């Protein structure tokens, strides 16, 4: 097996990216849309437009939280945080989810109050025009944030982008509701639409909270990425080299993987180290920005076969006894199989 040149070896430490420029963009968009929507609400007196403006206030608070989280996440590893600060992004997403719930309560309360005491809507055309401009601003910024979040694997930016996109659809619903009031003259349609907007915001908040909790619980990498890593490892399998115990996790922008490498006990440390360097380089080329840790084990040692409760399956050599070396699709072996020679 050819030795990989030092220049091809991936970096052992993960890099950080400064994504705060997107947070500043989100803050600027929130300030603009709040100004426009509050003006539209004052012109029309529509509780639907008031609910839309209230959600934009939440957007501003969330954008500030995003800025703080991204600044912390971009900090390099230190003596107290050896793996960096990337999980700060999950706290931002959780805070944004909570703020969304608060906005939803305010919106639905206002809708019920206006439903019980309906009021006429004025200056519909101008008010809706202003609201439509604000929605276009949110739409453009949402697309920018979603693309950047997916490109840099930032849950914070993706969450903020989804929130802004929800705001766009919310505004569209409010505009439809106000138009229906203007056409039909039924004043209670306005608070009904506002209440539905509140329910939609609750769903968005729940999804963001769920994503942040999954991140804090060290969720595994995607099935596609896990499969890609397993495929690369399978390419190194021979009658002497095998792998098991592949596990992965996501931490903010960064991704980590670990695997056990089984080789004959007579191999030198240098030979085993060279193999692991080649494996790490190949995985890094196939799956970008993954910090892979390899644990070398002698294949003759029964202690090398204690699997984890859950791991990613890796194809193995046909000469290996299935009951001893082939990981099951959804985790480790039965206790009777563990430590089999």
């Amino acid at each position: 097996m050819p030795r990989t040149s030092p220049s091809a070896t991936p970096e052992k430490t993960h890099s950080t990216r400064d994504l705060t420029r997107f947070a500043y963009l989100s803050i600027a968009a929130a300030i603009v849309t709040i100004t426009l929507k509050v003006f539209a609400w004052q012109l029309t007196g529509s509780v639907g437009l008031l609910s839309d403006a209230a959600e934009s206030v939440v957007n501003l608070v969330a954008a500030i939280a995003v800025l703080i989280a991204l600044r912390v996440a971009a900090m390099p590893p230190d003596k107290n945080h050896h793996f960096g600060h990337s999980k700060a992004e999950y706290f931002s997403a959780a805070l944004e989810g909570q703020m969304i719930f608060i906005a939803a309560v305010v919106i639905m309360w206002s809708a019920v109050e206006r439903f019980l005491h309906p009021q006429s809507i004025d200056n519909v055309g101008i008010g809706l025009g202003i609201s439509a401009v604000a929605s276009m601003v949110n739409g453009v910024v949402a697309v920018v944030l979603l693309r950047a979040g997916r490109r840099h694997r930032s849950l914070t930016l993706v969450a903020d982008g989804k929130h802004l996109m929800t705001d766009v659809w919310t505004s569209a619903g409010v505009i439809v509701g106000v138009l229906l009031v203007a056409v039909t003259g039924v004043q209670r349609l306005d608070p009904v639409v506002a209440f539905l907007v509140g329910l939609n915001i609750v769903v968005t908040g729940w999804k963001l909270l769920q994503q942040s909790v999954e991140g804090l619980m060290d969720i595994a990498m995607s099935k596609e990425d896990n499969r890609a890593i397993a495929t690369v490892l399978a390419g190194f399998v021979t009658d002497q080299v095998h792998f098991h115990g592949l596990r992965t996790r996501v931490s903010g922008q960064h991704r980590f993987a670990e695997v056990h490498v089984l080789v004959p006990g007579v191999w030198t440390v240098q030979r085993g180290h060279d193999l692991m360097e080649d494996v790490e380089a190949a995985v890094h080329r196939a799956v970008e920005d993954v910090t892979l840790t390899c644990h070398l084990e002698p294949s003759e040692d029964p202690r090398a076969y204690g699997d984890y409760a859950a791991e990613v399956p890796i194809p193995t050599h046909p000469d290996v006894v299935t009951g001893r070396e082939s990981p099951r699709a959804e985790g480790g072996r039965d206790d009777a199989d563990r430590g089999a020679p």
Side-chain angles (χ1 to χ4, degrees), residues 92-103:
S92 171
L95 176 61
E96 186 165 0
Q98 294 173 15
M99 293 300 299
I100 288 175
F101 277 124
I102 294 174

Side-chain angles (χ1 to χ4, degrees), residues 108-337:
M108 290 188 287
W109 177 267
S110 300
V112 171
E113 179 69 21
R114 185 58 64 91
F115 186 84
L116 296 176
H117 306 285
Q119 296 181 15
S120 60
I121 299 177
D122 303 318
N123 302 313
V124 173
I126 299 176
L128 293 186
I130 295 173
S131 181
V133 171
S135 297
M136 286 190 290
V137 172
N138 273 338
V140 171
V141 175
V143 171
V144 172
L145 294 180
L146 287 171
R147 289 180 176 176
R150 288 163 183 161
R151 184 169 64 254
H152 299 294
R153 293 188 305 278
S154 171
L155 175 62
T156 297
L157 291 182
V158 170
D160 205 26
K162 286 183 177 180
H163 187 190
L164 288 181
M165 191 58 72
T166 300
D167 196 324
V168 173
W169 292 113
T170 295
S171 298
V174 169
I175 290 173
V176 170
V178 174
L179 282 175
L180 287 175
V181 171
V183 172
T184 64
V186 180
Q187 304 296 333
R188 284 191 169 91
L189 286 176
D190 180 37
V192 168
V193 171
F195 192 86
L196 294 176
V197 167
L199 292 178
N200 182 53
I201 295 173
V202 168
V203 174
T204 302
W206 171 253
K207 289 181 178 178
L208 290 181
L209 285 174
Q210 187 178 36
Q211 288 179 329
S212 63
V213 169
E214 286 179 349
L216 291 172
M217 294 295 289
D218 280 343
I219 191 171
M221 292 169 56
S222 68
K223 292 181 179 179
E224 293 76 16
D225 288 335
N226 285 340
R227 191 179 302 115
I229 295 176
T231 300
V232 171
L233 297 178
F236 285 87
V237 171
T238 67
D239 58 346
Q240 291 186 308
V241 178
H242 314 285
F243 301 90
H244 73 109
L246 174 59
R247 300 188 298 172
T248 66
R249 66 183 179 92
V250 178
S251 179
Q253 301 174 36
H254 308 299
R255 300 183 291 180
F256 299 89
E258 62 178 52
V259 68
H260 292 193
V261 185
L262 297 123
V263 301
V266 297
W267 276 28
T268 64
V269 173
Q270 184 64 55
R271 186 176 179 182
H273 174 71
D274 289 347
L275 170 64
M276 291 192 297
E277 289 288 329
D278 292 337
V279 168
E280 291 175 4
V283 169
H284 186 75
R285 287 193 299 269
V287 185
E288 187 179 344
D289 294 337
V290 173
T291 301
L292 174 65
T293 302
C294 295
H295 175 62
L296 194 66
E297 299 176 313
S299 55
E300 301 87 355
D301 190 342
R303 295 173 298 176
Y305 298 95
D307 292 342
Y308 298 109
E311 59 185 62
V312 181
I314 305 170
T316 191
H317 194 274
D319 292 344
V320 179
V321 179
T322 304
R324 190 181 78 174
E325 289 252 359
S326 295
R328 291 179 179 172
E330 292 297 332
R333 307 178 187 84
D334 295 335
D335 290 340
D337 292 330

